[in-house]
Amino acid sequence: METDKPFQSAVLQLPGWFQAMAEKLPPEEQKQISEIRLWANQPIVWMKRGRCFFCSDRRLTDYPTGKERVLTKQELMDCFYSICHDSVHTVQQELCQGFVSLPGGHRAGICGTAVHHQGEQTGLRDISSINLRIARSIPGCAQELYQKLFSGGRALNGLLIAGAPASGKTTVLRDLVRILCSGKETRCHIVAVVDEREELSGGHDLGITSHVLRKIPKERAIQQALRTLAPEYIVCDEIGTKEEAQLLSQGLNAGTGFIGTIHAGSWQELLRRPSFRALLEQQALDAVVLLSDRSQPGKIDRIIKLQEVQRNDACCGLCPDFSVGDDDRMEQTGKNGAEAQRVGGVSAFSAIYSGGTLPDALQQ
């Protein structure tokens, strides 16, 4: 069986001795690994399906046996320098944010002690751990999403893909861009891809008509796209601030829709995000996709479609003075929860997918 290409691409960023060790893992195991976590004087941890695994005798177990490879402090530093391509100063700006972007869309999270100068962080020293996240494309994972929300000439003003860390948000977003820009399903759409950390592009297929803005801070990239590219959609991974959300919603006034991702492991978590609430207040969203947990990356758990209903003074219960409590939940009716009503007053939403199959739920 062939070795897994994304796994091999990620491991190539590490020293040769680590590559030789990783290649001994069976290909079927390589395909399931999403992260490689490294510490000094601790066993290597291989993450798959959101769980920790340890390697001994070329097989993975979910518990340490005492036979695992333990990295020395020097070996951890060798891995760090290899990730930085032996030129730490060239990635210093990213290191100050705790990561290094790598070829292939992979990313290494770096932990250590911050170095400060005149009150500002200027670097990172005493590296203590590394988390190498493996980027994987799954062609077709956004196909049903596209067919139900975009096909037939339909256009969305705003779409958010929400999920917990490692739930596959970037993977689904990347595939949706590929479909929109490939011209294979319908006409090609002009899409501006804001790729601050090079996780969306990074050697992946984004179709024909995608404009990619790499390593530009989100707010500046969004403004640049609106001024110079005239896109139909702006795509942005990890909408994290209220300011980013407001910029995206401003694009709607110029006829530009947006598609983004946001960290939220549940509907309740999503309601607490200031960026999400800002988009609601601007009436900038048409639909929200909630993904399953990290054990099933890229799997859709629910699609929530925002109905065009009256927005009263209470803003459907989602104004800034609204707080989420035990009663802020959605009651579902019907076999697949097709008509979901908010107990606390989110009458502006209907969940059109919860359990069941995506095509069946979306037809309800």
Side-chain angles (χ1 to χ4, degrees):
M1 185 182 297
E2 291 186 6
T3 56
D4 182 59
K5 290 183 179 179
F7 178 84
Q8 292 297 321
S9 172
V11 167
L12 279 175
Q13 311 308 315
L14 297 170
W17 56 264
F18 194 102
Q19 297 174 35
M21 176 181 57
E23 287 172 359
K24 295 177 182 178
L25 283 174
E28 60 270 18
E29 295 283 16
Q30 295 179 12
K31 290 179 179 179
Q32 298 183 61
I33 293 171
S34 58
E35 299 172 345
I36 303 172
R37 296 180 179 257
L38 311 173
W39 292 265
N41 305 314
Q42 297 292 346
I44 300 166
V45 171
W46 312 81
M47 300 294 297
K48 65 175 186 176
R49 301 190 298 275
R51 296 172 55 192
C52 298
F53 285 81
F54 303 86
C55 181
S56 60
D57 299 325
R58 301 189 182 188
R59 68 186 188 91
L60 297 181
T61 62
D62 58 1
Y63 56 89
T65 64
K67 298 179 180 180
E68 295 81 14
R69 178 73 152 79
V70 174
L71 295 187
T72 65
K73 175 66 173 178
Q74 184 57 54
E75 287 174 330
L76 179 69
M77 291 306 298
D78 289 345
C79 292
F80 171 69
Y81 290 127
S82 181
I83 284 170
C84 297
H85 299 103
D86 293 318
S87 183
V88 176
H89 72 279
T90 62
V91 295
Q92 205 66 268
Q93 186 175 356
E94 289 186 335
L95 282 174
C96 288
Q97 301 177 64
F99 71 93
V100 176
S101 298
L102 299 169
H106 312 298
R107 183 174 66 177
I110 311 291
C111 290
T113 303
V115 177
H116 292 87
H117 178 68
Q118 296 181 348
E120 292 188 6
Q121 185 179 346
T122 58
L124 203 63
R125 62 178 174 83
D126 301 331
I127 305 304
S128 58
S129 62
I130 298 170
N131 178 30
L132 178 58
R133 297 188 63 179
I134 300 172
R136 296 181 183 277
S137 289
I138 307 178
C141 68
Q143 186 68 39
E144 290 180 323
L145 180 60
Y146 167 80
Q147 289 176 346
K148 302 305 176 181
L149 296 181
F150 291 89
S151 65
R154 284 175 289 184
L156 293 184
N157 287 326
L159 170 65
L160 272 186
I161 300 170
S167 60
K169 298 184 296 296
T170 302
T171 302
V172 174
L173 182 62
R174 184 190 298 122
D175 194 55
L176 185 56
V177 172
R178 178 190 63 81
I179 295 171
L180 288 171
C181 298
S182 67
K184 294 179 180 178
E185 299 293 329
T186 182
R187 68 174 180 83
C188 287
H189 296 265
I190 302 299
V191 176
V193 179
V194 176
D195 196 8
E196 185 177 7
R197 298 178 178 179
E198 292 190 288
E199 292 182 282
L200 280 167
S201 52
H204 298 281
D205 178 14
L206 294 182
I208 301 168
T209 56
S210 60
H211 295 283
V212 182
L213 297 91
R214 297 183 178 90
K215 292 199 172 185
I216 304 174
K218 286 191 188 74
E219 292 184 31
R220 193 172 69 182
I222 292 168
Q223 291 174 329
Q224 181 177 327
L226 288 172
R227 286 198 307 264
T228 65
L229 298 177
E232 295 172 69
Y233 294 102
I234 292 178
V235 166
C236 184
D237 204 9
E238 297 184 14
I239 300 171
T241 69
K242 186 175 181 179
E243 290 71 25
E244 292 169 359
Q246 289 173 336
L247 273 175
L248 288 169
S249 63
Q250 288 173 15
L252 297 178
N253 298 326
T256 299
F258 71 87
I259 307 167
T261 66
I262 189 169
H263 282 303
S266 67
W267 175 251
Q268 288 74 18
E269 286 183 23
L270 189 58
L271 290 175
R272 294 188 181 100
R273 298 299 301 268
S275 52
F276 178 65
R277 295 156 77 96
L279 291 170
L280 288 177
E281 291 165 12
Q282 296 291 323
Q283 301 184 23
L285 284 173
D286 288 331
V288 175
V289 177
L290 295 179
L291 300 183
S292 187
D293 59 28
R294 62 172 62 200
S295 66
Q296 304 175 86
K299 181 179 179 182
I300 293 172
D301 180 66
R302 181 183 300 166
I303 294 176
I304 300 171
K305 191 173 184 180
L306 280 66
Q307 298 173 329
E308 295 180 359
V309 298
Q310 64 178 9
R311 295 178 180 270
N312 52 32
D313 292 340
C315 192
C316 302
L318 293 173
C319 279
D321 60 352
F322 176 78
S323 60
V324 178
D326 291 337
D327 288 335
D328 301 318
R329 62 189 186 274
M330 301 181 73
E331 286 187 341
Q332 299 170 351
T333 61
K335 183 176 180 181
N336 289 310
E339 296 296 329
Q341 295 179 346
R342 165 81 189 290
V343 173
V346 184
S347 57
F349 301 92
S350 73
I352 58 174
Y353 176 76
S354 179
T357 64
L358 180 60
D360 290 341
L362 286 167
Q363 289 170 4
Q364 296 192 40

